[in-house]
Amino acid sequence: MRPIEIYDTTLRDGTQGEGISFSLQDKLNIAKRLGEMGIQFIEGGYPLSNEKDTAFFQEVRKLDLGDAKVCAFGMTRRRSMKAADDPGMKALLAAETPVCTMVGKSWDFQATEVLGATLDENLAMIGESVAFLKQQRDVIFDAEHFFDGWKANPDYAMKTLDAAVQGGAGWVVLCDTNGGTLPEEVAMAVAKVKELFKDRSVVVGIHCHNDSELAVANSLAAVDAGADQVQGTINGIGERCGNVDLISVIANLAIKKKGYQVLGGRPLTQLTELSRFVYETANLQWRNGQPFVGQSAFAHKGGMHVHAINKAASTYEHIDPAVVGNERRILVSELSGRSNIIALTSKDNLQDDKELMNRILAEVVRLENQGYQFESAGASFDLLVKRLAGTFTAHFETIKYRIVAGDRDAQHADGFAEAIVKLQVGEEMWFDAAEGHGPVNALDAALRKALQGTYPELAEMRLLDFKVRVVDSSAGTAAHIRVNIESGDSNDSWGTIGVSENIIEASWKALVDAFEYKLHKSDSGA
Amino acid sequence: MRPIEIYDTTLRDGTQGEGISFSLQDKLNIAKRLGEMGIQFIEGGYPLSNEKDTAFFQEVRKLDLGDAKVCAFGMTRRRSMKAADDPGMKALLAAETPVCTMVGKSWDFQATEVLGATLDENLAMIGESVAFLKQQRDVIFDAEHFFDGWKANPDYAMKTLDAAVQGGAGWVVLCDTNGGTLPEEVAMAVAKVKELFKDRSVVVGIHCHNDSELAVANSLAAVDAGADQVQGTINGIGERCGNVDLISVIANLAIKKKGYQVLGGRPLTQLTELSRFVYETANLQWRNGQPFVGQSAFAHKGGMHVHAINKAASTYEHIDPAVVGNERRILVSELSGRSNIIALTSKDNLQDDKELMNRILAEVVRLENQGYQFESAGASFDLLVKRLAGTFTAHFETIKYRIVAGDRDAQHADGFAEAIVKLQVGEEMWFDAAEGHGPVNALDAALRKALQGTYPELAEMRLLDFKVRVVDSSAGTAAHIRVNIESGDSNDSWGTIGVSENIIEASWKALVDAFEYKLHKSDSGA
């Protein structure tokens, strides 16, 4: 088993991604998680670029990161300056990390056009900068644009690596900075570099970007060709199309490829949690379709498949979801069959009641023909099952509602909306009105007003998301409209649905289900 | 240049994706775009699975799809039934498509465990089903779980392909159904299959899923190993982690790999637009980081890069964004970019008026910050330009509107909605009311009532589609809501947009633009 080093740059290259920015505390929290996962190298930032990164390097020393080494990132010294005098070099040392990662130009075109240096000057900048840092630190050399440089001027690209190793770099990392390289090109170049250093103890690494949707394949191809370190980010966050997703790299190396050891052979059961933790910290939506860890990665739709899965999971899953801490989900869908329903109701042990199963299936089919889709409305489905099973108890009866809305006036630049609701709660009749930003918001406010006296637990319920979809769009404004509402409280979230030709009626149905589900939850002490 | 066939299954396998559901009109619109792109095969659906797909196959015959062949998808005959008697087989022929795509089991485990058939029975089911269809159609055989089958029992997996070809299949497509196969495994298996059929004229195809984030690499590896057809979906929509993204496959084959021809050598400048059209039709958010076509795919952040880009674009871009119809974005000044505006206004020859261009750009930026997106609202954009250019003449002034709506009553099972509108048309004031299926439908009806006397040409205007998107969904029911309306008349169709916290106000804005655009069209005799 050849051990492969995992080098995470979520905190540095990852923050180049559009809309990504971490607070100091965010960065410390993520570093802690990365250490717990057994990731060997954590690139914390670019000391010269901002104070937050400087502060990070001070604070991170106080954390227990296990075997992980923190790396400070910087560039070669400036053309017209001694390494010892260069502010960037000084900042790298001031970060007091065990490792410094230094990026330099490997593409002749870049050295001359971007740095304005001669080819020899660029080699001297690399060699002297590494040598200066090496006096006090281990040094990783990131060869920027290595593959473009290797295509344009292979001899010179190799010379830049050689200069770094002569200077004392223990690692040379080949960067596909533009993400435009193909796996076969990566394999060939890595093999040549391995050949160059076959008599010297240098670790060859790979750093890929996903601009051609080949970052994972390129990283694996590099490892097969002899690379012993893979650099990337959690969830593949990063500039443009992102860096390679370390989640997929780790899972493929540990589970699918043969002969490699990652994370010291630790289990990967924390992988899904790590992915979601980074999304939450970055305040990004999870990517449902993300390989291995996405919410849909093991979600099954369509009766034929689900039927097969109940016979043999491996038939439709490439790995056991539990291995990466993920789980299987069965979706009720337009293509659903009895097996979906049985799987979904199994937790209530209703599946043996054949007659009930038939009634549920018939009702789901009837509703799906109207445009309902329960795959993102599990709460409405649960209420449907309760109703058909006779275990549903209404917490309130809706007598009627009214909406009055109109265009902008003195108080309402976005137009006004007012709702009136009449509800029966137990013996009492409630008649309440509320204003809102729009009709749905107004109905939500009026419902709360009418119910909160009886059910104070509704105070902690919030509406998290609101989706509208035209089911039969060809019918224009007379089409059926599907409204999905995602609601949540302190420890849970649930989806409800309503369908109608009338968007207000559809929203009302979804709202009423959302409130009923919350009240059933509290009954069962959830 | 070896030509590679592109087979699109967005309309069938793509709809297995979580939350994906297309209306009949959506499917027809997408099929039309795929035909325009030069995609050779368009899988329209699964005739037996639902009426929508059956209707699609009738309607699609009326469209001009260029050289594209429409394919109907189905399974091998049932175990205990003659092909001629099998409802699925009959449904495939009833679809009256030039090509039938039939999926069968290639994994011995699946044949016995899932179908409950003997290995020989499964071979007979494949052979007889293909032979039955081949009497009237070209037949593509999709070998489900081919790679799993090939690992478990290579001889049997090969026999299933052989049975299909003996039956008359012109294509055998190797499906990585679970998405768990590695590129080196794909390459080896494809080479073996090519060897098997070296003396017979059979096209070998590849069908990949992205569960290991290797779908694109696997598809390219198959082509390098001799596959001549790639199956996938636009934007990689599909079950679990999705099918392979044809956008990336097409771009890689046409731009990066050498020696292959895709889409008959057509330019790829429509690729970005196609991707966004499919997202909009599916009512999905664009994936900013999507390779080649994402909004961030050529977005640059960080002074160093931007500085370098100004020196030499190729330094930080793996291809010229224009080749795929995308554009570079420098994330200092967010949003659309002048080039976009100039391109959009060029047909009016306004682009030389620098001062006007600046005002348009400023207004677009202001509106985009509110949640407007003009990609699918060209008519609203044209009206915006007319207003700023001073060439807009209002055909009516909206004085006010009111909506009254409520739940089901004697006449209205879906609840009722009534609209009142007050308009000034020339010197006349119109005050009209109308009922509707919902508030938007009622506003539409009231607008027509008030305008039709003055503008009889509105009689031929219809609302074709109506889409609602929550822009800032985290704000729940108080979020900003974007309404897109697609309208049409006998010879044209146009999109308009409205954004507001209030869904009724947003719909009203989009409706008013739709009517104004139609009236401007008639003025110019369009």
Side-chain angles (χ1 to χ4, degrees), chain A residues 89 92-93 102 129-137 139:
Chain A
M89 292 282 120
L92 274 171
L93 292 180
M102 196 193 69
S129 302
V130 173
F132 173 75
L133 295 171
K134 180 60 182 172
Q135 296 164 18
Q136 302 182 49
R137 305 279 188 269
V139 180

Side-chain angles (χ1 to χ4, degrees), chain A residues 18 110 145 296 315 375 469-470, chain B residues 18-19 21 110 296 315 466:
Chain A
E18 187 168 359
Q110 275 242 320
H145 281 114
S296 304
T315 316
E375 62 187 43
R469 171 102 175 107
V470 176
Chain B
E18 186 167 1
S21 140
Q110 275 242 320
S296 305
T315 314
F466 171 69

